[in-house]
Coordinates of all heavy atoms in Angstrom, one line a residue:
M1 N -14.4 3.1 19.4 CA -14.5 2.3 18.2 C -13.5 2.8 17.1 O -13.1 1.9 16.3 CB -15.9 2.3 17.7 CG -16.8 1.5 18.6 SD -16.2 -0.2 18.6 CE -17.1 -1.0 19.8
A2 N -13.3 4.1 17.0 CA -12.5 4.6 15.9 C -11.0 4.0 16.1 O -10.4 3.6 15.1 CB -12.5 6.1 15.9
S3 N -10.5 4.0 17.3 CA -9.2 3.5 17.5 C -9.1 2.0 17.1 O -8.1 1.5 16.6 CB -8.7 3.8 18.9 OG -9.5 3.1 19.9
L4 N -10.2 1.3 17.5 CA -10.2 -0.2 17.1 C -10.2 -0.4 15.6 O -9.6 -1.3 15.1 CB -11.3 -0.8 17.8 CG -11.3 -0.9 19.3 CD1 -12.6 -1.5 19.9 CD2 -10.1 -1.6 19.8
A5 N -10.9 0.5 14.9 CA -10.9 0.3 13.4 C -9.5 0.5 12.9 O -9.1 -0.2 12.0 CB -11.9 1.4 12.9
L6 N -8.8 1.5 13.4 CA -7.5 1.8 12.9 C -6.5 0.6 13.3 O -5.7 0.2 12.5 CB -6.9 3.1 13.4 CG -7.7 4.3 12.9 CD1 -7.1 5.6 13.5 CD2 -7.8 4.4 11.4
K7 N -6.7 0.1 14.5 CA -5.8 -0.9 15.0 C -6.1 -2.2 14.2 O -5.2 -3.0 13.9 CB -6.1 -1.2 16.5 CG -5.5 -0.1 17.3 CD -5.7 -0.3 18.8 CE -5.0 0.8 19.6 NZ -5.0 0.5 21.1
S8 N -7.4 -2.5 13.8 CA -7.6 -3.7 13.0 C -7.0 -3.6 11.6 O -6.5 -4.6 11.1 CB -9.2 -3.9 12.9 OG -9.7 -2.9 12.0
L9 N -6.9 -2.4 11.1 CA -6.2 -2.3 9.8 C -4.7 -2.6 10.0 O -4.1 -3.2 9.1 CB -6.4 -0.9 9.2 CG -7.7 -0.5 8.7 CD1 -7.8 1.0 8.3 CD2 -8.1 -1.4 7.5
T10 N -4.1 -2.1 11.1 CA -2.7 -2.4 11.4 C -2.5 -3.9 11.5 O -1.5 -4.4 10.9 CB -2.3 -1.7 12.7 OG1 -2.6 -0.3 12.5 CG2 -0.8 -1.9 13.0
L11 N -3.4 -4.6 12.2 CA -3.3 -6.0 12.3 C -3.4 -6.7 11.0 O -2.6 -7.7 10.7 CB -4.3 -6.6 13.3 CG -4.2 -6.2 14.8 CD1 -5.4 -6.6 15.5 CD2 -2.9 -7.0 15.3
E12 N -4.2 -6.2 10.1 CA -4.4 -6.8 8.8 C -3.1 -6.7 8.0 O -2.8 -7.5 7.1 CB -5.6 -6.3 8.1 CG -6.9 -6.8 8.6 CD -8.1 -6.3 7.8 OE1 -7.9 -5.8 6.7 OE2 -9.2 -6.3 8.4
L13 N -2.3 -5.7 8.3 CA -1.1 -5.4 7.6 C 0.1 -6.3 8.2 O 1.2 -6.2 7.8 CB -0.7 -4.0 7.6 CG -1.6 -3.1 6.7 CD1 -1.3 -1.6 6.9 CD2 -1.5 -3.5 5.3
G14 N -0.3 -7.0 9.2 CA 0.7 -7.9 9.9 C 1.6 -7.3 10.9 O 2.6 -7.8 11.3
A15 N 1.1 -6.1 11.4 CA 1.9 -5.4 12.4 C 1.2 -5.3 13.8 O -0.1 -5.5 13.8 CB 2.3 -4.0 12.0
E16 N 1.9 -5.1 14.8 CA 1.3 -4.9 16.1 C 0.9 -3.5 16.3 O 1.7 -2.6 16.1 CB 2.3 -5.3 17.2 CG 1.8 -5.1 18.6 CD 0.8 -6.1 19.0 OE1 0.7 -7.2 18.4 OE2 0.0 -5.8 20.0
P17 N -0.4 -3.2 16.6 CA -0.8 -1.8 16.7 C -0.1 -1.1 17.9 O 0.2 -1.7 18.9 CB -2.3 -1.9 17.0 CG -2.7 -3.3 16.6 CD -1.5 -4.1 16.7
A18 N 0.1 0.2 17.7 CA 0.7 1.0 18.8 C -0.3 0.9 20.0 O -1.5 0.9 19.8 CB 0.9 2.4 18.4
H19 N 0.3 0.9 21.2 CA -0.6 0.9 22.4 C -0.9 2.3 22.8 O -0.3 2.9 23.7 CB 0.2 0.2 23.5 CG 0.5 -1.3 23.2 ND1 -0.5 -2.2 23.4 CD2 1.6 -1.9 22.7 CE1 0.0 -3.4 23.0 NE2 1.2 -3.2 22.6
T20 N -1.9 2.8 22.1 CA -2.3 4.2 22.3 C -3.8 4.4 21.8 O -4.3 3.6 21.1 CB -1.4 5.2 21.5 OG1 -1.8 6.5 21.8 CG2 -1.5 5.0 20.0
H21 N -4.4 5.4 22.3 CA -5.7 5.8 21.8 C -5.6 7.1 21.0 O -6.7 7.6 20.6 CB -6.7 6.0 23.0 CG -6.9 4.8 23.8 ND1 -7.6 3.7 23.4 CD2 -6.5 4.5 25.1 CE1 -7.6 2.8 24.3 NE2 -7.0 3.2 25.4
V22 N -4.4 7.6 20.7 CA -4.2 8.8 19.9 C -4.4 8.4 18.5 O -3.5 7.7 17.9 CB -2.9 9.4 20.2 CG1 -2.7 10.7 19.4 CG2 -2.7 9.8 21.7
L23 N -5.5 8.9 17.9 CA -5.8 8.5 16.5 C -4.8 8.9 15.5 O -4.5 8.1 14.6 CB -7.2 9.0 16.2 CG -8.4 8.5 17.0 CD1 -9.6 9.2 16.6 CD2 -8.5 7.0 16.9
G24 N -4.2 10.0 15.7 CA -3.1 10.5 14.8 C -1.9 9.6 14.8 O -1.3 9.3 13.7
Q25 N -1.6 9.1 15.9 CA -0.4 8.1 16.0 C -0.8 6.8 15.3 O 0.1 6.2 14.6 CB 0.0 7.9 17.5 CG 0.6 9.1 18.1 CD 1.0 8.8 19.6 OE1 0.8 7.7 20.1 NE2 1.5 9.8 20.2
L26 N -2.0 6.3 15.5 CA -2.4 5.1 14.9 C -2.4 5.3 13.3 O -2.0 4.4 12.6 CB -3.8 4.7 15.4 CG -3.8 4.3 16.9 CD1 -5.3 4.1 17.3 CD2 -3.0 3.0 17.1
L27 N -2.9 6.4 12.9 CA -2.9 6.7 11.5 C -1.5 6.8 10.9 O -1.2 6.3 9.8 CB -3.7 8.0 11.2 CG -4.2 8.3 9.8 CD1 -5.1 7.1 9.4 CD2 -4.9 9.6 9.7
Q28 N -0.6 7.4 11.6 CA 0.8 7.5 11.2 C 1.4 6.2 11.1 O 2.2 5.9 10.2 CB 1.6 8.4 12.2 CG 3.0 8.5 11.8 CD 3.2 9.2 10.4 OE1 2.6 10.1 10.1 NE2 4.1 8.6 9.6
Q29 N 1.1 5.3 12.0 CA 1.6 3.9 11.9 C 1.1 3.2 10.6 O 1.9 2.6 10.0 CB 1.2 3.1 13.2 CG 1.7 1.7 13.2 CD 1.3 0.9 14.4 OE1 0.3 1.1 15.0 NE2 2.1 -0.2 14.6
L30 N -0.1 3.4 10.3 CA -0.7 2.9 9.0 C 0.1 3.4 7.8 O 0.4 2.7 6.9 CB -2.2 3.1 8.9 CG -3.1 2.3 9.9 CD1 -4.5 2.9 9.8 CD2 -3.0 0.8 9.5
A31 N 0.3 4.7 7.8 CA 1.1 5.3 6.7 C 2.5 4.8 6.6 O 3.0 4.5 5.5 CB 1.1 6.8 6.9
T32 N 3.1 4.6 7.8 CA 4.5 4.0 7.8 C 4.5 2.6 7.3 O 5.4 2.2 6.6 CB 5.0 4.0 9.3 OG1 5.0 5.4 9.7 CG2 6.4 3.4 9.3
L33 N 3.4 1.9 7.5 CA 3.3 0.5 6.9 C 2.9 0.5 5.5 O 2.8 -0.6 4.9 CB 2.2 -0.3 7.8 CG 2.6 -0.5 9.2 CD1 1.4 -1.1 10.0 CD2 3.8 -1.5 9.3
G34 N 2.7 1.6 4.9 CA 2.5 1.7 3.4 C 1.0 1.9 3.0 O 0.7 1.9 1.8
M35 N 0.1 2.1 4.0 CA -1.3 2.3 3.6 C -1.5 3.7 3.2 O -1.0 4.7 3.8 CB -2.2 1.9 4.8 CG -3.6 2.0 4.5 SD -4.7 1.3 5.7 CE -4.6 -0.4 5.2
D36 N -2.3 3.9 2.2 CA -2.7 5.3 1.8 C -3.7 5.8 2.7 O -4.9 5.3 2.7 CB -3.2 5.2 0.3 CG -3.6 6.6 -0.2 OD1 -3.5 7.6 0.5 OD2 -4.2 6.7 -1.3
T37 N -3.4 6.8 3.5 CA -4.3 7.3 4.6 C -4.9 8.6 4.2 O -5.5 9.3 5.0 CB -3.5 7.4 5.9 OG1 -2.4 8.3 5.7 CG2 -3.0 6.1 6.4
A38 N -4.9 8.9 2.9 CA -5.4 10.2 2.5 C -6.9 10.4 2.8 O -7.4 11.5 3.0 CB -5.2 10.4 1.0
S39 N -7.6 9.3 2.8 CA -9.1 9.4 3.1 C -9.4 9.9 4.5 O -10.5 10.2 4.8 CB -9.8 8.0 2.8 OG -9.2 7.0 3.6
F40 N -8.4 9.9 5.4 CA -8.6 10.4 6.7 C -8.2 11.8 6.9 O -8.4 12.4 7.9 CB -7.7 9.5 7.7 CG -8.2 8.1 7.8 CD1 -7.6 7.2 7.0 CD2 -9.1 7.7 8.7 CE1 -8.0 5.8 7.0 CE2 -9.5 6.4 8.8 CZ -8.9 5.4 8.0
D41 N -7.6 12.4 5.8 CA -7.1 13.8 6.0 C -8.1 14.8 6.4 O -7.7 15.8 7.1 CB -6.4 14.2 4.7 CG -5.1 13.5 4.4 OD1 -4.6 12.8 5.3 OD2 -4.6 13.6 3.3
S42 N -9.3 14.7 6.0 CA -10.3 15.7 6.3 C -11.1 15.5 7.6 O -12.0 16.2 8.0 CB -11.3 15.8 5.1 OG -12.0 14.6 5.0
I43 N -10.7 14.4 8.3 CA -11.4 14.0 9.5 C -10.7 14.6 10.7 O -9.5 14.4 10.9 CB -11.5 12.5 9.7 CG1 -12.2 11.8 8.5 CG2 -12.2 12.1 11.0 CD1 -12.1 10.3 8.5
P44 N -11.4 15.4 11.5 CA -10.7 16.1 12.7 C -10.5 15.1 13.8 O -11.2 15.1 14.8 CB -11.7 17.2 13.1 CG -13.0 16.7 12.6 CD -12.8 15.8 11.4
L45 N -9.4 14.3 13.7 CA -9.1 13.3 14.6 C -8.8 13.8 16.0 O -9.1 13.2 17.0 CB -7.9 12.4 14.1 CG -8.2 11.7 12.8 CD1 -6.9 11.0 12.4 CD2 -9.3 10.7 12.9
R46 N -8.2 15.0 16.1 CA -7.7 15.5 17.4 C -8.9 15.7 18.4 O -8.8 15.5 19.6 CB -6.9 16.8 17.2 CG -5.6 16.5 16.7 CD -4.7 17.8 16.7 NE -3.4 17.5 16.3 CZ -2.7 18.3 15.6 NH1 -3.1 19.5 15.2 NH2 -1.4 18.0 15.3
H47 N -10.0 16.2 17.8 CA -11.2 16.4 18.7 C -11.6 15.1 19.4 O -11.8 15.1 20.6 CB -12.3 17.0 17.9 CG -13.6 17.2 18.7 ND1 -13.8 18.2 19.5 CD2 -14.7 16.4 18.8 CE1 -15.0 18.1 20.1 NE2 -15.5 17.0 19.7
L48 N -11.7 14.1 18.6 CA -12.1 12.8 19.2 C -11.1 12.2 20.1 O -11.4 11.7 21.2 CB -12.4 11.8 18.0 CG -13.0 10.5 18.5 CD1 -14.3 10.7 19.3 CD2 -13.3 9.6 17.3
T49 N -9.8 12.4 19.8 CA -8.8 11.9 20.7 C -8.8 12.7 22.0 O -8.7 12.1 23.1 CB -7.4 12.1 20.0 OG1 -7.3 11.3 18.9 CG2 -6.3 11.8 21.0
R50 N -9.0 14.0 22.0 CA -9.1 14.8 23.2 C -10.2 14.3 24.1 O -10.1 14.2 25.3 CB -9.1 16.3 22.9 CG -7.8 16.9 22.6 CD -8.0 18.4 22.6 NE -8.9 18.9 21.6 CZ -8.5 19.3 20.3 NH1 -7.2 19.3 20.0 NH2 -9.4 19.8 19.5
M51 N -11.4 14.2 23.4 CA -12.6 13.8 24.2 C -12.4 12.4 24.8 O -12.7 12.2 25.9 CB -13.8 13.9 23.2 CG -15.1 13.7 24.0 SD -16.5 14.0 22.8 CE -17.8 14.0 24.0
S52 N -11.9 11.5 24.0 CA -11.7 10.1 24.4 C -10.7 10.1 25.6 O -11.0 9.4 26.6 CB -11.3 9.3 23.3 OG -11.0 8.0 23.7
A53 N -9.6 10.7 25.4 CA -8.5 10.7 26.4 C -9.0 11.3 27.8 O -8.7 10.7 28.8 CB -7.3 11.4 25.9
S54 N -9.6 12.4 27.7 CA -10.0 13.1 28.9 C -11.2 12.3 29.6 O -11.3 12.4 30.8 CB -10.4 14.5 28.7 OG -11.5 14.7 27.8
S55 N -11.9 11.5 28.9 CA -13.0 10.7 29.5 C -12.4 9.4 30.1 O -12.8 9.0 31.1 CB -14.0 10.3 28.4 OG -14.7 11.5 28.0
R56 N -11.4 8.9 29.4 CA -10.8 7.6 29.9 C -9.8 7.9 31.0 O -9.7 7.0 31.9 CB -10.0 6.9 28.8 CG -10.9 6.3 27.7 CD -10.0 5.7 26.6 NE -10.7 5.3 25.5 CZ -10.9 4.1 25.1 NH1 -10.3 3.1 25.8 NH2 -11.6 3.8 24.1
Y57 N -9.1 9.0 30.9 CA -8.0 9.2 31.9 C -8.2 10.6 32.5 O -7.4 11.5 32.1 CB -6.6 9.1 31.2 CG -6.5 7.8 30.4 CD1 -6.6 7.8 29.0 CD2 -6.4 6.6 31.1 CE1 -6.4 6.6 28.3 CE2 -6.3 5.4 30.4 CZ -6.3 5.4 29.0 OH -6.2 4.3 28.3
P58 N -9.2 10.8 33.3 CA -9.4 12.1 33.9 C -8.3 12.7 34.7 O -7.6 11.9 35.4 CB -10.7 11.9 34.7 CG -10.8 10.5 35.0 CD -10.1 9.8 33.9
I59 N -8.1 14.0 34.7 CA -7.0 14.6 35.4 C -7.5 14.8 36.9 O -6.8 14.7 37.8 CB -6.7 16.0 34.8 CG1 -6.0 15.7 33.4 CG2 -5.7 16.7 35.7 CD1 -5.8 17.0 32.7
D60 N -8.8 15.0 37.0 CA -9.4 15.2 38.4 C -10.7 14.5 38.4 O -11.0 13.7 37.6 CB -9.5 16.7 38.7 CG -10.3 17.5 37.7 OD1 -11.2 16.9 37.0 OD2 -10.0 18.7 37.6
A61 N -11.6 14.8 39.4 CA -12.8 14.2 39.6 C -14.0 14.8 38.7 O -15.1 14.4 38.9 CB -13.2 14.2 41.0
T62 N -13.6 15.7 37.8 CA -14.7 16.3 37.0 C -15.3 15.3 36.1 O -14.6 14.5 35.3 CB -14.1 17.4 36.1 OG1 -13.4 18.4 37.0 CG2 -15.1 18.1 35.3
Q63 N -16.6 15.2 36.1 CA -17.3 14.2 35.3 C -17.3 14.6 33.8 O -17.3 15.8 33.5 CB -18.8 14.1 35.7 CG -19.0 13.6 37.1 CD -18.7 12.1 37.1 OE1 -19.0 11.4 36.3 NE2 -18.0 11.7 38.2
P64 N -17.2 13.7 32.9 CA -17.2 14.0 31.4 C -18.4 14.8 31.0 O -18.3 15.7 30.2 CB -17.2 12.7 30.8 CG -16.5 11.8 31.7 CD -16.9 12.3 33.1
S65 N -19.5 14.6 31.7 CA -20.8 15.4 31.4 C -20.6 16.9 31.7 O -21.4 17.7 31.1 CB -22.0 14.8 32.1 OG -21.8 14.9 33.5
V66 N -19.7 17.2 32.5 CA -19.4 18.6 32.8 C -18.5 19.2 31.7 O -18.6 20.4 31.4 CB -18.8 18.8 34.2 CG1 -18.3 20.2 34.5 CG2 -19.7 18.3 35.3
L67 N -17.6 18.4 31.2 CA -16.6 18.8 30.2 C -17.2 18.9 28.8 O -16.8 19.7 28.0 CB -15.4 17.9 30.2 CG -14.6 17.8 31.5 CD1 -13.6 16.7 31.3 CD2 -14.0 19.1 31.8
F68 N -18.2 18.0 28.5 CA -18.7 17.9 27.2 C -20.2 18.0 27.2 O -20.9 17.5 28.0 CB -18.3 16.6 26.6 CG -16.8 16.3 26.6 CD1 -16.3 15.4 27.5 CD2 -15.9 17.1 25.8 CE1 -14.9 15.2 27.6 CE2 -14.6 16.9 25.9 CZ -14.1 15.9 26.8
D69 N -20.7 18.7 26.1 CA -22.2 18.8 26.0 C -22.7 18.0 24.9 O -21.9 17.2 24.2 CB -22.6 20.3 25.8 CG -22.0 21.0 24.6 OD1 -21.5 20.2 23.7 OD2 -22.0 22.2 24.6
R70 N -24.0 18.1 24.6 CA -24.6 17.3 23.5 C -23.9 17.5 22.2 O -23.7 16.6 21.4 CB -26.1 17.6 23.4 CG -26.8 16.7 22.4 CD -28.3 17.0 22.3 NE -29.0 16.5 23.5 CZ -29.3 15.2 23.7 NH1 -29.0 14.3 22.8 NH2 -30.0 14.8 24.8
A71 N -23.6 18.7 21.9 CA -23.0 19.1 20.6 C -21.6 18.4 20.5 O -21.3 17.9 19.4 CB -22.8 20.6 20.4
D72 N -20.9 18.4 21.6 CA -19.6 17.7 21.6 C -19.8 16.2 21.3 O -19.0 15.6 20.5 CB -18.9 17.9 22.9 CG -18.4 19.3 23.2 OD1 -17.9 20.0 22.3 OD2 -18.5 19.7 24.4
A73 N -20.8 15.6 22.0 CA -21.0 14.2 21.8 C -21.4 13.9 20.4 O -21.0 12.9 19.8 CB -22.1 13.7 22.8
Q74 N -22.3 14.7 19.8 CA -22.7 14.5 18.4 C -21.5 14.6 17.4 O -21.4 13.8 16.5 CB -23.8 15.5 18.0 CG -25.1 15.1 18.8 CD -26.2 16.2 18.6 OE1 -25.9 17.4 18.3 NE2 -27.4 15.8 18.8
Q75 N -20.7 15.6 17.7 CA -19.5 15.7 16.8 C -18.6 14.5 17.0 O -18.0 14.0 16.0 CB -18.7 17.0 17.2 CG -17.5 17.2 16.3 CD -16.8 18.5 16.6 OE1 -16.9 19.0 17.7 NE2 -16.0 19.0 15.6
A76 N -18.4 14.0 18.2 CA -17.5 12.8 18.4 C -18.1 11.6 17.7 O -17.4 10.9 17.1 CB -17.4 12.6 19.9
I77 N -19.4 11.5 17.8 CA -20.1 10.3 17.1 C -19.9 10.5 15.6 O -19.5 9.5 14.9 CB -21.6 10.3 17.4 CG1 -21.7 9.8 18.9 CG2 -22.3 9.3 16.5 CD1 -23.1 10.0 19.4
A78 N -20.0 11.6 15.0 CA -19.8 11.8 13.6 C -18.4 11.6 13.2 O -18.2 10.9 12.1 CB -20.2 13.3 13.2
I79 N -17.4 12.0 14.0 CA -16.0 11.7 13.7 C -15.7 10.2 13.7 O -15.1 9.7 12.8 CB -15.1 12.5 14.6 CG1 -15.3 14.0 14.4 CG2 -13.7 12.1 14.4 CD1 -14.6 14.9 15.5
A80 N -16.2 9.6 14.7 CA -16.0 8.1 14.9 C -16.6 7.4 13.7 O -16.0 6.5 13.1 CB -16.6 7.6 16.2
Q81 N -17.8 7.8 13.3 CA -18.4 7.2 12.1 C -17.6 7.4 10.9 O -17.5 6.5 10.0 CB -19.9 7.7 12.0 CG -20.8 7.2 13.0 CD -22.2 7.8 13.0 OE1 -22.4 8.9 12.5 NE2 -23.2 7.1 13.5
A82 N -17.1 8.6 10.7 CA -16.3 8.9 9.5 C -15.0 8.0 9.5 O -14.6 7.5 8.5 CB -15.9 10.4 9.5
V83 N -14.4 7.9 10.7 CA -13.2 7.0 10.8 C -13.5 5.6 10.4 O -12.8 4.9 9.6 CB -12.5 7.1 12.2 CG1 -11.5 6.1 12.4 CG2 -12.0 8.5 12.4
M84 N -14.6 5.1 11.0 CA -15.0 3.7 10.7 C -15.3 3.5 9.3 O -15.0 2.5 8.7 CB -16.1 3.3 11.7 CG -15.6 3.2 13.1 SD -16.7 2.5 14.3 CE -18.1 3.5 14.1
A85 N -16.0 4.5 8.6 CA -16.3 4.3 7.2 C -15.1 4.4 6.3 O -15.0 3.6 5.4 CB -17.3 5.5 6.8
A86 N -14.2 5.2 6.7 CA -12.9 5.3 5.9 C -12.1 4.0 6.1 O -11.5 3.5 5.1 CB -12.1 6.5 6.3
A87 N -12.1 3.5 7.3 CA -11.4 2.2 7.6 C -12.0 1.1 6.8 O -11.4 0.2 6.2 CB -11.3 2.0 9.1
A88 N -13.4 1.1 6.8 CA -14.1 0.0 6.1 C -13.8 0.0 4.6 O -13.7 -1.0 4.0 CB -15.6 0.1 6.4
A89 N -13.7 1.2 4.1 CA -13.5 1.4 2.6 C -12.1 0.9 2.3 O -11.9 0.3 1.2 CB -13.6 2.9 2.2
L90 N -11.1 1.1 3.2 CA -9.7 0.6 2.9 C -9.7 -0.9 3.1 O -8.8 -1.6 2.6 CB -8.8 1.3 3.9 CG -8.5 2.7 3.6 CD1 -7.6 3.3 4.7 CD2 -7.8 2.9 2.2
D91 N -10.6 -1.5 3.9 CA -10.6 -2.9 4.2 C -11.1 -3.7 3.1 O -10.9 -4.9 3.0 CB -11.4 -3.1 5.5 CG -11.2 -4.5 6.1 OD1 -10.1 -5.1 6.0 OD2 -12.2 -5.1 6.6
R92 N -11.8 -3.1 2.1 CA -12.4 -3.8 1.0 C -11.3 -4.1 0.0 O -10.4 -3.3 -0.2 CB -13.5 -2.9 0.4 CG -14.7 -2.8 1.2 CD -15.8 -2.2 0.4 NE -16.8 -1.6 1.4 CZ -17.0 -0.3 1.6 NH1 -16.3 0.6 0.9 NH2 -17.8 0.1 2.5
P93 N -11.5 -5.2 -0.8 CA -10.5 -5.5 -1.8 C -10.4 -4.3 -2.8 O -11.4 -3.7 -3.2 CB -11.1 -6.7 -2.6 CG -12.0 -7.3 -1.5 CD -12.5 -6.2 -0.7
G94 N -9.2 -3.9 -3.1 CA -9.0 -2.7 -3.9 C -9.1 -1.4 -3.2 O -8.9 -0.3 -3.8
G95 N -9.3 -1.4 -1.9 CA -9.5 -0.2 -1.1 C -8.2 0.4 -0.7 O -7.1 0.1 -1.0

């Protein structure tokens, strides 16, 4: 959901979102399009990107449940919620 929130902002700016799930790249695209992305600076995007990428595109047959525990999942949820909240704030008039 975090990547979709960033991609929706890109679409609202009239651009085609990058074909990636790497949150840092999506955020860089927004900055290049002129959006103030400072509200994302304190969000640890790399953690969520790593977890998402290794779950979507596994290197081997290792189940994500072996790679990540409950604490990892809770951190990923918190990061995704922070990204979506920051994106929603920018989506508001004057944001």
Side-chain angles (χ1 to χ4, degrees):
M1 289 301 172
S3 63
L4 295 178
L6 297 178
K7 288 180 179 191
S8 69
L9 290 174
T10 304
L11 288 168
E12 287 185 18
L13 293 173
E16 179 72 21
H19 296 281
T20 183
H21 298 291
V22 179
L23 298 177
Q25 289 178 4
L26 295 169
L27 198 60
Q28 180 59 44
Q29 182 180 20
L30 288 170
T32 300
L33 292 169
M35 183 168 278
D36 179 5
T37 58
S39 58
F40 295 91
D41 288 349
S42 64
I43 303 173
L45 300 176
R46 285 188 177 144
H47 175 81
L48 186 56
T49 295
R50 280 192 297 267
M51 188 173 190
S52 175
S54 59
S55 297
R56 288 176 190 249
Y57 310 107
I59 295 172
D60 56 28
T62 305
Q63 295 291 320
S65 61
V66 174
L67 299 173
F68 306 107
D69 60 17
R70 180 177 291 281
D72 292 321
Q74 290 171 336
Q75 183 180 19
I77 290 167
I79 294 167
Q81 289 173 335
V83 169
M84 292 187 305
L90 289 174
D91 193 35
R92 290 191 201 109

